[in-house]
Structure formats: C-alpha cells, structure tokens
Amino acid sequence: MAGRVVAVRILRTAADVLVWALAVLGVFSLGVWGATALGLIQPLVVVSGSMEPEITTGDLLVATPVPVEDVEVGDVLSLRNDVTDRLVTHRVIEVAQHDDGSWHVRMQGDANDSPDAGEYVVTDDTVLAPSWQISGAGAALMRLTDPSVAVPLLIGVAAILALSLMPRPGSGPTGGQQDVAHEPQDDDAARQLAVASSRSAS
C-alpha cells in the first residue's frame, strides 16, 4: 500500500513538472510565432546537404533580416527561388545593383559543383541571413510533427495532465479529518449527559 502511495506521488510530481514545462514551452512558442509573424525572424529546417559541412541536413536555422546593401560575396543568405517558391540557403558568389534599384544575387551551395540556376532578384530593402544554427534541431522538430510520433505523444501528455488535475486525497476544505475532529466533542457530550442523569436520579 505504501509503495502504491509513493508511486502515485511520483506520478503527480512528474505531472506537475510537465504542466510547468508545457507552460514555458507554450510561452516560448507564442513568442517565436509572434516574432515570425512580425518578420523579425524566420525559422528554417535544412532539408539538403548542399551547404555541408558548415550546414548539415536536419539543422535548424533562424534567419533575420539584414540590409541588402550590406550583402557581400561570401555571405550566406536565404532567398526565395522563383521556380520552386521555397527559400534556398546558399553562399553569395556575386551581388550587384541594377539601374532600376533592384539587386541581383547569384549563389552556390558549398557542396555543389555549379552555381544555382539563374539569379535571385531582390527588390526589398532587406534579405534573410541565418543568424543562429541549432544542430539537429530541425530533424527533431520534423519528427515531432510526424503523426506516428505526435499522436501517441499527445495521448501520453493528455493522460499525465489528467492525472495532475485529479483531486488529491485530503485536499478538500476539511482534509478528510472531519470525523476525527468531532469524536472528542461526542465523548464530552456523552459524559455530560451521564453526569446530568446521575444528578437527576439522586
């Protein structure tokens, strides 16, 4: 019985820790979403090895806007490919401003034998450049979003959260001690009744 009580306490403690961890993760995720929506950052998951060995498949990049006029040959940028409509993260091998004010950038992956096909035309004042790199975090993020992993994980989290919300024994207003607290009062009443009866009899 004692072992069962200890096990329940451990599970409840783990559930409480999980609740706080989820709360912190929720606040962090909300902050990341807000910063992304405002254009302050752009999380990117690396899906190819074209920039190895510096940037490897499965890494998580966090790109931030930088002035396009500050871009130099050798910088790494994340520019949108007009054909695939996806961001490509490669190294700048040529950059020039045209008479119409637009910037034309040519890039090439470090592991590629040839430059990217065509030029990247930039008409905005800023471009995205990776500022932080978290090794392997992108692969972990993609795995967590896979239904075969996400569904069982959500079920497990929901079960632990349900356990943390269950009422604890003795956590009510009287804490399960109401009967014990009234027993002495019942004994006193019985004694007083006995004394009164004996006096009446005399």
Side-chain angles (χ1 to χ4, degrees), residues 20-178:
W20 280 104
L22 289 176
V24 173
L25 180 61
V27 172
F28 176 76
S29 300
L30 183 62
V32 171
W33 175 84
T36 303
L38 293 173
L40 301 178
I41 63 171
Q42 178 63 60
L44 302 169
V45 177
V46 180
V47 296
S48 74
S50 62
M51 283 296 292
E52 292 182 352
E54 182 175 332
I55 301 175
T56 60
T57 303
D59 287 354
L60 177 64
L61 304 178
V62 180
T64 57
V66 297
V68 65
E69 60 184 15
D70 293 343
V71 173
E72 298 178 352
V73 173
D75 292 345
V76 176
L77 299 181
S78 298
L79 300 179
R80 189 168 300 278
N81 187 301
D82 292 335
V83 177
T84 62
D85 197 33
R86 298 180 62 178
L87 288 172
V88 176
T89 301
H90 282 169
R91 194 175 301 280
V92 176
I93 60 174
E94 183 181 335
V95 56
Q97 187 178 23
H98 285 209
D99 295 336
D100 60 359
S102 64
W103 291 81
H104 289 236
V105 182
R106 291 185 62 84
M107 299 197 303
Q108 179 178 344
D110 290 352
N112 293 347
D113 295 330
S114 58
D116 299 355
E119 295 181 330
Y120 296 86
V121 180
V122 179
T123 56
D124 297 331
D125 295 332
T126 60
V127 290
L128 291 173
S131 299
W132 297 283
Q133 178 180 352
I134 307 175
S135 179
L141 183 62
M142 293 181 66
R143 184 164 180 79
L144 286 175
T145 57
D146 188 298
S148 63
V149 176
V151 173
L153 182 62
L154 288 175
I155 294 175
V157 170
I160 296 179
L161 288 178
L163 178 63
S164 69
L165 296 175
M166 291 177 60
R168 290 171 170 77
S171 61
T174 57
Q177 299 178 356
Q178 183 174 357

Side-chain angles (χ1 to χ4, degrees), residues 189-202:
R191 292 192 188 96
Q192 292 175 4
L193 181 60
V195 171
S197 299
S198 62
R199 289 178 178 175
S200 299
S202 59

Side-chain angles (χ1 to χ4, degrees), residues 180-190:
V180 177
H182 283 77
E183 286 179 359
Q185 296 180 4
D186 294 340
D187 293 342
D188 292 342

